[in-house]
Amino acid sequence: MGKISVETCEIEGLKIITPTVFGDERGYFMETYNYNDMKEAGIDINFVQDNQSASKKGVLRGLHFQIEYPQDKIVRVVRGEVFDVAVDLRKGSPTFGQWHGVVLSEQNKKQYFIPKNFAHGFLVLSDYAEFAYKCSDFYHPNDEGGLLWSDPDIGIDWPFPEGLTADDLVISEKDHNWNGIKAYMKERGL
């Protein structure tokens, strides 16, 4: 049953996954994860943790990563709509520091595969969103890293929800205080 379609992105390793959805007058059915389909798509990973969050319109979470215990992730939206972003932090990558964003929604049912050593974040575009993701390693609270969501050196073109500006976004204190990519590079001798 299941099969998926996979789009690659201009940043190697990132993949947009669209599941096959079977719908009728009752609603719909889809496989949100099938190891064999993912393996065939080049995602042969043992996922060990599933997470879910709920956020209101204008919430921005990110840009997060784990330092010593990096995680591969498959992210998706169960309800609502978000703009999801990955920033390449792979040492030696030709696209280091570049970002790619995709709209994930309950309507398009797309998923985003983000490999290890990417920073990740999202902005809620709908009134409310439920966001779910699989991780290839466990969360380690003392291993958090982050980049400033508005770093001009990364230059993410966030599509603010209708009627909101950057000043209206709901961002945690921690996410307001991350440094930019130049400081990240200096800390790591890159």
Side-chain angles (χ1 to χ4, degrees):
M1 200 179 256
K3 300 298 174 192
I4 56 175
S5 69
V6 178
E7 299 170 55
T8 57
C9 304
E10 62 273 6
I11 298 177
E12 184 182 346
L14 294 174
K15 297 179 184 197
I16 300 167
I17 302 158
T18 305
T20 300
V21 179
F22 302 92
D24 60 24
E25 68 278 354
R26 299 168 298 165
Y28 72 89
F29 171 84
M30 68 178 188
E31 288 183 356
T32 61
Y33 178 79
N34 179 304
Y35 173 78
N36 292 329
D37 290 346
M38 293 295 177
K39 182 177 179 183
E40 191 175 309
I43 304 170
D44 187 6
I45 295 168
N46 181 30
F47 290 97
V48 298
Q49 184 173 322
D50 280 1
N51 301 319
Q52 186 163 333
S53 67
S55 305
K56 64 182 182 176
K57 183 178 187 176
V59 167
L60 191 145
R61 296 180 185 262
L63 301 160
H64 303 148
F65 56 90
Q66 288 199 161
I67 301 164
E68 297 297 324
Y69 301 96
Q71 299 170 317
D72 299 288
K73 295 178 181 174
I74 296 178
V75 302
R76 65 189 182 96
V77 169
V78 177
R79 185 172 166 201
E81 181 177 75
V82 309
F83 183 68
D84 197 88
V85 173
V87 179
D88 189 353
L89 297 179
R90 297 171 297 180
K91 186 176 181 180
S93 170
T95 53
F96 180 88
Q98 294 181 24
W99 67 274
H100 182 270
V102 61
V103 172
L104 304 175
S105 72
E106 67 182 293
Q107 283 80 26
N108 69 25
K109 297 180 179 28
K110 291 183 179 188
Q111 300 177 32
Y112 197 18
F113 172 70
I114 303 166
K116 289 180 170 106
N117 300 308
F118 276 75
H120 171 254
F122 64 89
L123 172 61
V124 178
L125 304 176
S126 54
D127 289 337
Y128 173 84
E130 291 180 19
F131 187 84
Y133 54 107
K134 304 181 101 41
C135 299
S136 64
D137 201 347
F138 299 102
Y139 172 69
H140 298 269
N142 296 322
D143 194 42
E144 285 186 317
L147 295 173
L148 184 63
W149 68 276
S150 59
D151 181 7
D153 292 316
I154 299 171
I156 298 170
D157 185 15
W158 295 100
F160 299 130
E162 189 175 329
L164 299 183
T165 68
D167 293 334
D168 300 316
L169 300 182
V170 181
I171 303 170
S172 73
E173 183 177 341
K174 175 178 69 176
D175 288 349
H176 265 303
N177 292 322
W178 293 120
N179 289 318
I181 197 158
K182 285 182 180 173
Y184 171 85
M185 293 170 66
K186 186 176 180 181
E187 287 171 9
R188 286 157 181 79
L190 301 174

